Amino acid sequence: AISFSMLLMSFIAFDIVLLFPKERDLYRREHQSGLYSTSAFFHARCVAELPGHFMAGGLYATIAYHMMGFQSDAMKFAHFFFLCEGVVLAGTSLLIFCGCIAKDFEGANNFATVFLCLFMMFDGHYINNKSIPKGARWVEELNFMNWAISAGSRSELLGLGDLHGCGDPSADRCVFRRGGSAVDYYGFRDKPFRQAIVAIIIISVVARTLAFLAFKYLFTGRAFFAGKPPEAGAEEPVAPLITTVTPEEKYAAAA
């Protein structure tokens, strides 16, 4: 349940992947007219979308937590709530990045599909953290889904006593008798809530920074190391006009 909840939070703002490919022509025209800078446009558009996304994530977390029968503990609910909000932020940042590095809608959708499917494969649910190959460990560390699912599962499982009557020694059908055993088996022990939230925020900031640089320099005709463009309304220097005067014109003017 936690895995699919975090996956849903990653896709909850999927429409934003089309935002910057759609707005790029408008931005270029108005930026060249001197109406605003790149940072003002980019950050204003990002901030304008945040309230709706956070509201949707918070409503889902509040309703789904109790519907799924999780523990009636305020701290565990807070963990689930803020992890959902963190995944909304990180997922939105990733989708904005995909939109900024793509030239059109089709490219943005392709990039988003590749990144989200890759992160979903290594989110700790389909392949547990202890079974991830060493060559793919970097995906686990950069994967906000893995951080959220690991921390959320750890928070919910720790403190559980008997799992569905598995405390009975004669219950041979049970794989795990206590929640802590499941945490250790899936490799969730080393990803506590605070560490996961910090990692998710860092991933979000890095993704938005890269998205800003991509939006500013890709498909705009601007070089990354180019000098500062002239300000709007500033007059460009005019080269002196050199004319050649013939001898006839010179004598005629003297006469």
Side-chain angles (χ1 to χ4, degrees), residues 1-15:
I2 294 176
S3 173
F4 284 103
S5 294
M6 299 306 168
L7 180 61
L8 178 62
M9 294 299 98
S10 304
F11 284 93
I12 202 168
F14 194 83
D15 59 305

Side-chain angles (χ1 to χ4, degrees), residues 22-248:
K22 180 177 65 176
E23 299 280 357
R24 183 176 282 117
D25 291 337
L26 173 65
Y27 153 75
R28 291 179 61 183
R29 182 171 63 253
E30 296 186 350
H31 176 70
Q32 292 171 358
S33 300
L35 295 180
Y36 42 71
S37 63
T38 305
S39 60
F41 178 84
F42 180 84
H43 293 108
R45 293 298 291 155
C46 290
V47 171
E49 302 290 338
L50 282 179
H53 296 157
F54 280 146
M55 183 179 296
L59 287 174
Y60 172 84
T62 303
I63 297 172
Y65 185 85
H66 301 287
M67 287 183 62
M68 291 185 290
F70 291 155
Q71 299 184 63
S72 298
D73 184 282
M75 184 59 68
K76 294 182 182 297
F77 169 72
H79 287 177
F80 182 78
F81 182 90
F82 287 109
L83 285 171
C84 284
E85 296 286 33
V87 172
V88 170
L89 177 64
T92 303
S93 302
L94 175 63
L95 294 173
I96 289 175
F97 172 72
C98 292
C100 290
I101 63 175
K103 189 174 183 180
D104 50 28
F105 299 155
E106 291 78 9
N109 276 322
N110 290 337
F111 282 125
T113 301
V114 170
F115 280 114
L116 289 174
C117 287
L118 178 64
F119 287 171
M120 185 173 60
M121 288 172 56
F122 295 97
D123 65 0
H125 173 70
Y126 299 99
I127 304 175
N128 69 55
N129 292 342
K130 289 186 175 181
S131 300
I132 295 178
K134 291 183 178 180
R137 289 290 179 184
W138 62 273
V139 181
E140 177 189 355
E141 297 301 323
L142 297 177
N143 190 349
F144 59 90
M145 293 186 197
N146 187 289
W147 282 103
I149 292 172
S150 298
S153 300
R154 181 184 187 275
S155 175
E156 182 61 28
L157 290 172
L158 287 180
L160 284 178
D162 298 339
L163 292 177
H164 307 292
C166 291
D168 183 1
S170 62
D172 296 333
R173 63 183 177 81
C174 297
V175 178
F176 308 113
R177 300 189 183 278
R178 303 183 68 85
S181 302
V183 170
D184 293 331
Y185 177 82
Y186 287 107
F188 298 150
R189 179 76 66 174
D190 59 344
K191 291 191 175 180
F193 171 76
R194 292 183 181 180
Q195 186 177 348
I197 284 293
V198 171
I200 291 171
I201 292 175
I202 292 175
I203 292 170
S204 302
V205 171
V206 171
R208 287 182 185 259
T209 302
L210 295 176
F212 170 74
L213 295 175
F215 182 71
K216 184 174 183 179
Y217 294 106
L218 292 182
F219 316 113
T220 59
R222 300 175 61 178
F224 187 81
F225 295 104
K228 183 179 179 181
E231 297 182 358
E235 296 183 359
E236 297 184 0
V238 181
L241 182 62
I242 301 176
T243 59
T244 304
V245 180
T246 62
E248 292 79 5

